[in-house]
Amino acid sequence: MKVRQRVERAIAPPVKRRWASVAGASLLTVSLLAAGGGASLAGASTKSAKGLSGEVKVGASVSLSGDFSATGVTTKQGYQAWADWQNAHGGILGKKVHMTFLSDGSSPTQVVTNYQKLITINHVTFVVGPYSTLLTKPSSVIANRYHKAMVEGIGGGPSVFAQGLTNVFDVSAAALAQMVSFAKWIPTAYKPQKVAFAAITTPFSDPMVTQVRKILKSKGFTVTTIDIYPLETTDFSPIAATIENSGAKIIVLGTQPPDGYALIQAFAQAHYTVTAIIEASGPDQGSSFVQAVGQTNTTGVMWPATWYPGAPGYAAKTLVSIMTKQFHIKKTTISANVAEAFSAGQVLAEAVNHIKTTTNKKLISYMHSKNAKFKSVQGNVCFTKLGMNPCAQPYVFQWQHGSQVAVLPATKPGVVKIMNPKPKWGTGTAG
Amino acid sequence: MLILQGIIDGILIGGLYALMGAGLTLVFGVMEIINFAQGILVILGAFLSYSLVRATHIDPFVTILITIPAMFLLGYGVYYLLIARLKRDRVIMSLLVMFAVAQVIEGVLDIAYGGTLVQIHASYVDTSLRFGSINIPLVYLYAFILSAVLMGCIYVILYKTKFGRALRATTQNPAAAQLVGIDVHRVSAATLGIGVGLAAAGGMLYGMTASFNPASSYDLISRLLVIVILGGFGSVGGAMAAAIIMVVIEDVVAVTWSPVWGQTMFYLVLVAVLLFRQQGIFGKQIARAQ
């Protein structure tokens, strides 16, 4: 051992200790900053708001790294856009909204720490939800422990409501309701046949697909493939191959963006013609989706949501304007997460401005009351005892010639004719 | 037919993982460093190719003519700036240093590109060869061919060049190699450079076959470590064989049983092999004379 140490010392280059210390310290500092997760605080003051005195702190944990980083960024943009809009419209109780963000690295453990920190150290007055059911579930427990309302727009999986908490308020349509209009449309357009299903094991996507399966089975459709795959999956070719092998022409996928992109690409590579395809998430990511799968492969792909860039909701045009001017995102490519986060902020502000106090207990009580109705960019909002929004109107959207359009339910205003059957992959025209 | 499709997909994608894992195993063989930054270096390579394609509209395969040398220099520099300066507990400390390097690179990529998923595009990304019901995406085929060519280059460098002899000597006994006149630091720096250069090529291929963002590195590194451990740390051929075996098993189980079990099987095979061969399938019993 001693011989080796001597040899190692002999072959090691001279070390400038001071340089090494500086480099080490710099590296450590940069790495802590770069990590972006955990305890790193990212305070975000919004644009100056004239005529407002004092401020109301609103805290959110957002996934700026990890599995949900793509959608975490758009969630943060949604909250920032709302704070700017709210401040331009009198703030909350005449005070300026100040957003405080913490990054959770998409970790259910870190999100718990973050909400505890937001409430006990940052002393935020209100908290709004993180991205995904997976993170909303544990964070809503923390908010409940500190008697805080948690208004959220991206955590509508059944497991959130199954907790029986009374402080959770989901402003979007619940997961189980999201694809119902699609499931009801299929029997009107197709005779009973094989339908392939696949879903990632998240508490949002899986129940959504299960609900469609139940409805279609009751109408005589046959389930050919049920692929459930873990969040960590990186190779989606076996899933695509299994679906192709089933021969099903109607495909229902409970996806997140990465697998949503990969499966469409795999079907396109195999020239596997389908007549109808819907994904839980992925196509809703706007430019990111277009860039990943290619413009001509987007045409005909459907997804459920309560908002699209041309939606007629309250302040919807302003949201589009903020996103295009402030975040330089094209109107047609704005992610639905932006609107979901924006809506959560809108509903929070409306409720607080109505009760004229920042007391969370009164806020929770009011939001549960029968006469509490709200307007948001996603449409009407009201809440059940468990915080679901039965007033929401979930739409099904479709990419048509480079644009996102609402296609279901067909009876609703602003809805255009569904493109059916879906054109072959690679034949959609650019918008 | 579905099983055959799973086998073909497994072989093609396994070749890609072999390329990404080759750098990891090579660096461990020479320096006994587990390069935790390999996953994010692959993603860095993917982003570099992505940016070059966007800026110049050249074919993604051409970008590696720029990204491999650039990332070779990065690896070379990291060795002299960080690894070579470690005086004590080098194995443990270098592990921490590479982890910090990974964090820095991820942070820089987060700032530069954000969390949005992107993908490298070329005209043939959506094209495939069809043999009956068997489908072979061209991009996977090209990726496998490039992986095989680069792995062949590594073989030639290792076994047919003077540098390769020096590298193998350093792998076997760094102290003795130093005593016979081999510049161990230069060999180590070049090895890290090659490892990082391979990540550039692997990144370009990965970026053509999947959408990625800086966070994609976490899933990658865990799979690469499994492949390298199974193949035997330090064995480039072992990494290639292990990658193909693992991905074929995973894909066949996924198509015949369930994708969940495909993933699980990936790790069960690792556990099973390590119960009987702690050094991995192709690793030597005593990796290095001390």
Side-chain angles (χ1 to χ4, degrees):
Chain A
M1 190 65 187
K2 280 181 180 174
V3 174
R4 174 150 191 194
Q5 281 173 349
R6 274 202 295 275
V7 173
E8 280 183 346
R9 213 171 292 144
I11 62 178
V15 176
K16 290 176 184 169
R17 290 177 70 90
R18 204 177 73 173
W19 186 94
S21 315
V22 172
S26 307
L27 189 62
L28 186 64
T29 310
V30 177
S31 63
L32 283 172
L33 288 171
S40 66
L41 180 70
S45 65
T46 54
K47 281 184 177 174
S48 62
K50 287 176 185 173
L52 302 182
S53 58
E55 63 181 28
V56 172
K57 284 186 181 179
V58 179
S61 180
V62 285
S63 304
L64 301 182
S65 59
D67 288 329
F68 303 140
S69 58
T71 37
V73 169
T74 49
T75 305
K76 187 183 176 195
Q77 287 173 346
Y79 284 135
Q80 280 177 321
W82 162 68
D84 288 343
W85 176 82
Q86 194 65 50
N87 287 335
H89 291 80
I92 292 180
L93 299 177
K95 294 178 180 176
K96 182 185 168 188
V97 174
H98 177 92
M99 288 299 306
T100 302
F101 293 109
L102 296 180
S103 176
D104 52 48
S106 312
S107 155
T109 314
Q110 188 60 47
V111 83
V112 165
T113 309
N114 283 1
Y115 276 98
Q116 264 173 338
K117 191 172 178 229
L118 284 166
I119 295 166
T120 61
I121 297 173
N122 298 109
H123 300 293
V124 297
T125 309
F126 302 110
V127 289
V128 283
Y131 175 83
S132 80
T133 295
L134 188 71
L135 302 184
T136 302
K137 190 179 171 187
S139 54
S140 59
V141 174
I142 299 303
N144 188 56
R145 188 176 299 160
Y146 292 97
H147 311 295
K148 296 276 188 192
M150 175 168 274
V151 187
E152 50 94 359
I154 322 172
S159 57
V160 169
F161 309 113
Q163 298 177 111
L165 300 177
T166 55
N167 68 317
V168 184
F169 300 94
D170 180 16
V171 301
S172 304
L176 293 176
Q178 294 266 352
M179 286 189 185
V180 167
S181 58
F182 173 81
K184 287 181 176 171
W185 168 74
I186 286 289
T188 67
Y190 294 96
K191 287 178 183 169
Q193 58 185 279
K194 290 185 279 186
V195 182
F197 295 85
I200 199 162
T201 51
T202 68
F204 186 76
S205 309
D206 195 5
M208 200 189 282
V209 168
T210 305
Q211 184 72 359
V212 179
R213 204 165 66 222
K214 256 188 220 171
I215 295 170
L216 290 184
K217 273 180 91 172
S218 72
K219 299 287 181 185
F221 285 77
T222 323
V223 176
T224 59
T225 309
I226 310 172
D227 269 346
I228 303 295
Y229 50 95
L231 198 59
E232 298 76 22
T233 305
T234 52
D235 176 13
F236 301 98
S237 54
I239 300 159
T242 312
I243 292 173
E244 287 163 36
N245 190 60
S246 74
K249 299 294 178 192
I250 300 169
I251 301 177
V252 182
L253 302 170
T255 51
Q256 295 275 329
D259 42 317
Y261 301 170
L263 287 171
I264 284 187
Q265 197 173 40
F267 295 140
Q269 280 168 348
H271 304 293
Y272 180 61
T273 309
V274 299
T275 51
I277 180 168
I278 187 166
E279 290 193 332
S281 183
D284 60 335
Q285 296 302 307
S287 57
S288 177
F289 175 68
V290 176
Q291 199 280 329
V293 305
Q295 178 88 64
T296 54
N297 287 329
T298 61
T299 302
V301 178
M302 290 184 265
W303 72 100
T306 40
W307 183 86
Y308 68 106
Y314 172 51
K317 281 184 183 171
T318 316
L319 171 60
V320 172
S321 172
I322 293 172
M323 294 311 294
T324 51
K325 286 176 186 164
Q326 194 174 319
F327 295 97
H328 309 293
I329 295 171
K330 276 203 269 180
K331 178 186 172 183
T332 52
T333 58
I334 300 170
S335 161
N337 304 140
V338 170
E340 288 161 350
F342 194 94
S343 302
Q346 281 181 308
V347 169
L348 171 69
E350 279 175 57
V352 176
N353 284 333
H354 180 86
I355 58 173
K356 294 184 171 51
T357 171
T358 56
T359 311
N360 271 264
K361 191 177 171 185
K362 285 184 180 170
L363 176 65
I364 292 169
S365 171
Y366 169 65
M367 290 176 87
H368 279 301
S369 64
K370 278 185 183 172
N371 59 344
K373 308 271 186 203
F374 308 95
K375 289 183 294 178
S376 79
V377 289
Q378 297 190 101
N380 295 329
V381 180
C382 60
F383 297 106
T384 64
K385 280 181 186 174
L386 294 174
M388 284 185 267
N389 175 13
C391 297
Q393 173 58 67
Y395 288 87
V396 168
F397 296 91
Q398 188 177 44
W399 280 95
Q400 291 187 3
H401 310 301
S403 294
Q404 308 170 52
V405 293
V407 291
L408 291 170
T411 52
K412 292 286 170 185
V415 166
V416 304
K417 192 181 176 193
I418 195 164
M419 187 183 275
N420 182 46
K422 184 194 131 6
K424 284 182 181 176
W425 299 108
T427 59
T429 50
Chain B
M1 277 303 175
L2 203 51
I3 293 174
L4 185 60
Q5 180 72 59
I7 292 170
I8 291 170
D9 283 347
I11 291 171
L12 296 179
I13 296 167
L16 169 58
Y17 276 99
L19 181 64
M20 293 190 279
L24 190 60
T25 202
L26 201 62
V27 168
F28 181 84
V30 173
M31 292 183 279
E32 286 189 332
I33 289 173
I34 297 173
N35 182 8
F36 264 111
Q38 189 74 5
I40 195 69
L41 286 165
V42 167
I43 299 301
L44 173 63
F47 271 115
L48 289 178
S49 289
Y50 170 76
S51 297
L52 282 168
V53 169
R54 300 265 293 182
T56 62
H57 304 289
I58 55 175
D59 187 274
F61 281 83
V62 179
T63 63
I64 59 171
L65 297 175
I66 299 165
T67 60
I68 290 180
M71 286 187 61
F72 174 88
L73 291 176
L74 174 69
Y76 203 88
V78 164
Y79 179 81
Y80 274 111
L81 288 173
L82 301 171
I83 306 291
R85 293 170 187 276
L86 299 171
K87 297 281 280 179
R88 288 187 303 168
D89 300 324
R90 204 170 149 192
V91 172
I92 296 294
M93 290 304 291
S94 59
L95 202 145
L96 292 173
V97 164
M98 293 316 291
F99 184 71
V101 167
Q103 293 290 301
V104 171
I105 294 172
E106 187 185 347
V108 170
L109 290 177
D110 269 328
I111 292 164
Y113 296 95
T116 306
L117 288 158
V118 295
Q119 188 156 0
I120 301 169
H121 265 284
S123 56
Y124 42 81
V125 163
D126 289 339
T127 315
S128 59
L129 299 175
R130 197 91 196 176
F131 301 100
S133 61
I134 298 298
N135 179 55
I136 302 176
L138 270 187
V139 68
Y140 285 154
L141 188 64
Y142 292 165
F144 182 81
I145 292 169
L146 180 67
S147 298
V149 168
L150 288 175
M151 295 291 271
C153 291
I154 293 296
Y155 177 84
V156 170
I157 289 171
L158 282 178
Y159 292 98
K160 305 288 178 190
T161 66
K162 194 176 167 187
F163 170 76
R165 280 201 297 278
L167 190 150
R168 281 183 289 130
T170 308
T171 304
Q172 287 171 11
N173 193 324
Q178 177 74 16
L179 290 172
V180 297
I182 293 170
D183 186 342
V184 171
H185 278 295
R186 214 171 130 215
V187 169
S188 298
T191 306
L192 190 57
I194 291 170
V196 176
L198 288 175
M204 183 276 291
L205 296 176
Y206 182 76
M208 288 181 77
T209 56
S211 55
F212 60 94
N213 65 9
S216 306
S217 63
Y218 294 105
D219 290 333
L220 262 183
I221 189 63
S222 58
R223 290 169 75 85
L224 295 182
L225 280 172
V226 170
I227 286 165
V228 169
I229 292 168
L230 188 75
F233 264 117
S235 168
V236 175
M240 181 122 199
I244 290 174
I245 290 168
M246 292 296 269
V247 183
V248 165
I249 290 173
E250 183 187 355
D251 282 7
V252 169
V253 172
V255 295
T256 54
W257 191 0
S258 147
V260 173
W261 280 103
Q263 288 261 305
T264 309
M265 200 57 73
F266 193 85
Y267 294 98
L268 281 179
V269 169
L270 174 73
V271 172
V273 168
L274 291 184
L275 279 175
F276 300 101
R277 274 185 72 85
Q278 282 84 354
Q279 69 273 32
I281 298 174
F282 298 92
K284 290 176 182 166
Q285 193 68 45
I286 300 166
R288 171 186 288 186
Q290 295 298 318

